[in-house]
Amino acid sequence: MGYYVKVEKGVNIYVEDINSSSNKTILFIHGWPANHQMFEYQFDFLPAMGYRCIGIDIRGFGKSSRPWDGYSYNRVADDIRVVIDTLQLEDITLAGHSMGGAISIRYMARHREHKVSKLALIGAAAPVFTKRPNFPYGMTKDEVNQLIKATYTDRPKMLSDFGDIFFARYLTKSFIDWFQGLGLMASGNATAKCLTSLRDEDLRNDLSFIQVPTAILHGKQDKVCPFVLGELLHSSIKNSILIPFEFSGHGLFYCELEKFNQELANFIG
């Protein structure tokens, strides 16, 4: 079932709600530059195991509204809070991939874990996405700036090039075309402004606010958010477990599909 939630004047967030009668709820926050449909193969599997799966398109992506501004982690975390309260969700697992993982961390700190009982960070773009003087990991700011420039000049090629490093296994051309299509559904402006947030945001001071059980699922071959980021999250988040995916890149939810679904189900219980 799909519907919209109004998060502020003129901004509606698209929500896909599957198996809504279940009281075991997973709220999925997609990564840049896709939308909730990236979790198609989770939405096929987990509801059959008794889970309620909710996918949202963050502002600017998928079927959601495309405001000109509002792409900071704070604003998107506030959108998630409105969705959770509007749907009257309780005792949920918050599952975020890549930038969605970063936003989930900001949600946990900014909203004091409101209604969240477990957290799953999937190839999270955290604690920091870009290198800086006291953080030697991740992309350089110049590399992100090049992605921003490419977004504004040839977004289809930018998405195609990004897709080439996203997965760590052979994929059919049909799948690659489908995945690129998810990125093309987004607003170009939102795509660029979220890159700016990825480049500039720092979540290191947010991590101490996370007290719930946390699973950190991360591909050992990730070329977007290197595996060391998962190790750093694990060392900084109390009550966390690190689940490595030996044969996965950034798209571990598909590279090792069966393992991913089973590990997520095992963690949630």
Side-chain angles (χ1 to χ4, degrees):
M1 179 173 62
Y3 46 82
Y4 287 89
V5 172
K6 181 179 179 180
V7 294
E8 63 175 339
K9 185 177 180 180
V11 181
N12 297 302
I13 297 298
Y14 180 76
V15 177
E16 189 77 21
D17 194 349
I18 305 166
N19 195 24
S20 58
S21 61
S22 172
N23 61 4
K24 293 197 292 184
T25 302
I26 313 170
L27 176 59
F28 289 88
I29 313 299
H30 66 82
W32 178 94
N35 57 57
H36 81 278
Q37 293 181 61
M38 67 179 287
F39 295 115
E40 174 178 338
Y41 300 94
Q42 285 63 59
F43 296 161
D44 287 342
F45 173 79
L46 293 167
M49 294 185 67
Y51 297 98
R52 179 184 184 183
C53 291
I54 301 174
I56 71 169
D57 291 342
I58 67 172
R59 58 172 60 208
F61 294 81
K63 298 179 181 178
S64 290
S65 299
R66 303 177 172 201
W68 185 250
D69 292 310
Y71 297 100
S72 69
Y73 288 0
N74 282 353
R75 179 60 256 188
V76 180
D78 291 351
D79 290 348
I80 293 169
R81 171 67 182 261
V82 176
V83 171
I84 287 172
D85 287 347
T86 301
L87 273 56
Q88 298 181 318
L89 302 179
E90 300 280 348
D91 192 29
I92 69 171
T93 296
L94 185 61
H97 174 259
S98 192
M99 180 177 173
I103 291 165
S104 297
I105 290 170
R106 176 55 50 83
Y107 175 87
M108 298 296 281
R110 185 170 171 83
H111 295 285
R112 300 299 190 266
E113 304 184 325
H114 177 69
K115 304 297 184 182
V116 176
S117 58
K118 290 187 177 182
L119 177 66
L121 300 174
I122 306 158
V128 187
F129 184 64
T130 52
K131 291 183 173 73
R132 44 204 74 196
N134 59 354
F135 193 84
Y137 313 106
M139 289 189 178
T140 66
K141 291 194 174 186
D142 283 345
E143 286 173 328
V144 180
N145 287 338
Q146 287 301 311
L147 284 173
I148 293 171
K149 181 179 179 181
T151 299
Y152 283 130
T153 54
D154 191 345
R155 188 161 63 101
K157 184 179 187 304
M158 182 279 292
L159 291 170
S160 177
D161 291 346
F162 184 71
D164 287 344
I165 65 168
F166 200 91
F167 298 97
R169 50 168 286 191
Y170 170 76
L171 301 169
T172 65
K173 183 179 184 302
S174 298
F175 184 91
I176 292 169
D177 290 346
W178 169 79
F179 192 76
Q180 183 179 2
L182 299 185
L184 288 171
M185 290 175 65
S187 152
N189 171 63
T191 302
K193 286 188 173 174
C194 282
L195 280 170
T196 300
S197 294
L198 279 164
R199 182 193 66 196
D200 296 342
E201 297 261 14
D202 187 336
L203 294 157
R204 284 175 288 183
N205 291 333
D206 296 57
L207 300 178
S208 63
F209 291 94
I210 300 174
Q211 302 296 322
V212 302
T214 300
I216 299 160
L217 304 95
H218 215 107
K220 294 291 290 286
Q221 301 178 50
D222 196 327
K223 295 179 181 178
V224 179
C225 296
F227 185 72
V228 65
L229 297 188
E231 294 177 319
L232 291 169
L233 289 173
H234 177 45
S235 66
S236 299
I237 299 175
K238 296 178 181 179
N239 203 18
S240 68
I241 56 172
L242 176 61
I243 304 172
F245 286 72
E246 297 288 339
F247 308 107
S248 289
H250 198 47
L252 63 161
F253 55 89
Y254 188 76
C255 289
E256 293 180 76
L257 172 60
E258 291 184 6
K259 176 182 176 177
F260 178 85
N261 287 345
Q262 195 59 60
E263 291 284 8
L264 187 58
N266 290 346
F267 169 66
I268 298 168

